[in-house]
Amino acid sequence: VCSSDLYKKKVLKSMALPLRRLIFKWMNESPDELSALYNAYPQCCENGADGLFEAVFPWADSGSASRKYLLWPLLLMLLMLMPRHLQNIDHANVNKKDKRALFLVKRLEKNFKKKTMMDICSRCYVDLLKVIAIFSRETGLHGHPPTVLTDILREADPLLPSLIVNPQNPFLTSEGGIDSSMLVDFLESSLY
């Protein structure tokens, strides 16, 4: 396997969106497994998401906005599969991975207020809403999402509806068309 930076970049670009979609599909179709993952915390320490998070983080943290648009939502979804790191966000002095998880969350909060980064952060927050909706609709997940998920969303929550459901200034795709997939995801997750 080639370990060059160019090769890694191409693999990450081609796999980020399908992997994020696969994680969502798994969460939707196997909420009992998602529940088992969260119920096993803190006994479960490591899973494959940890290693992938560590591999993707440096690429997502540096570089262009288009790279961030592709990789930040993937990182957030990987974080959803790492309950130990997610729960340790409040105590981020534990280890390097917890600090990186906190850094991602703080980056989202900070950049959500910047016009140039608002679309990237909004995509991440809509994805987070979808995860919260999965927790909320599944009784096996105790009917409520982990507090840390709602805490992450708290700052953006009042602004999201006016940003996403705005006929005068709709979210646009990179091609200039209305980003209907984000609108549908937001409306779907808001039903729960």
Side-chain angles (χ1 to χ4, degrees), residues 53-54 57-58 85 92-103:
F53 185 90
E54 285 301 304
F57 186 85
H85 301 300
N93 57 356
V94 179
N95 66 40
K96 182 179 176 182
K97 290 179 187 177
D98 294 338
K99 287 181 182 177
R100 285 188 168 180
L102 175 66
F103 186 75

Side-chain angles (χ1 to χ4, degrees), residues 65-109:
S66 63
R67 185 186 301 177
K68 289 177 175 126
Y69 192 82
L70 197 60
L71 298 179
W72 280 12
L74 174 61
L75 281 175
L76 187 65
M77 284 303 96
L78 291 171
L79 188 57
M80 298 300 112
L81 300 179
M82 301 171 7
R84 181 171 60 99
H85 301 300
L86 192 60
Q87 298 296 337
N88 286 340
I89 281 180
D90 294 332
H91 317 289
N93 57 356
V94 179
N95 66 40
K96 182 179 176 182
K97 290 179 187 177
D98 294 338
K99 287 181 182 177
R100 285 188 168 180
L102 175 66
F103 186 75
L104 175 66
V105 170
K106 293 297 180 191
R107 272 285 167 99
L108 289 172
E109 289 174 2

Side-chain angles (χ1 to χ4, degrees), residues 3-192:
S3 63
S4 75
D5 286 348
L6 181 61
Y7 178 76
K8 288 178 187 177
K9 183 178 175 181
K10 287 182 179 183
V11 169
L12 281 175
K13 279 186 166 186
S14 65
M15 293 303 299
L17 186 59
L19 185 56
R20 186 176 132 258
R21 287 180 178 160
L22 184 64
I23 292 169
F24 271 125
K25 184 175 178 159
W26 173 76
M27 287 179 174
N28 271 320
E29 293 180 3
S30 304
D32 52 333
E33 292 177 17
L34 180 63
S35 179
L37 178 68
Y38 275 80
N39 291 334
Y41 167 79
Q43 291 80 17
C44 71
C45 294
E46 300 289 325
N47 61 34
D50 291 53
L52 192 52
F53 185 90
E54 285 301 304
V56 173
F57 186 85
W59 288 92
D61 186 44
S62 62
S64 66
S66 63
R67 185 186 301 177
K68 289 177 175 126
Y69 192 82
L70 197 60
L71 298 179
W72 280 12
L74 174 61
L75 281 175
L76 187 65
M77 284 303 96
L78 291 171
L79 188 57
M80 298 300 112
L81 300 179
M82 301 171 7
R84 181 171 60 99
H85 301 300
L86 192 60
Q87 298 296 337
N88 286 340
I89 281 180
D90 294 332
H91 317 289
N93 57 356
V94 179
N95 66 40
K96 182 179 176 182
K97 290 179 187 177
D98 294 338
K99 287 181 182 177
R100 285 188 168 180
L102 175 66
F103 186 75
L104 175 66
V105 170
K106 293 297 180 191
R107 272 285 167 99
L108 289 172
E109 289 174 2
K110 177 183 167 192
N111 287 304
F112 184 65
K113 295 176 176 82
K114 293 182 180 177
K115 190 146 184 84
T116 57
M117 298 292 285
M118 197 178 290
D119 58 339
I120 299 166
C121 298
S122 295
R123 167 48 64 197
C124 291
Y125 285 132
V126 168
D127 286 354
L128 184 57
L129 273 173
K130 288 171 59 178
V131 173
I132 290 171
I134 291 169
F135 274 96
S136 298
R137 76 170 184 250
E138 297 300 330
T139 56
L141 297 173
H142 310 295
H144 57 83
T147 308
V148 69
L149 298 182
T150 54
D151 288 347
I152 293 170
L153 191 61
R154 185 171 293 134
E155 190 150 334
D157 193 33
L159 300 173
L160 274 176
S162 63
L163 291 172
I164 295 172
V165 187
N166 183 349
Q168 284 76 33
N169 190 18
F171 264 90
L172 302 177
T173 63
S174 57
E175 293 83 33
I178 294 175
D179 191 345
S180 58
S181 69
M182 183 154 40
L183 179 61
V184 168
D185 287 345
F186 175 74
L187 293 173
E188 183 180 84
S189 64
S190 298
L191 296 175
Y192 294 101

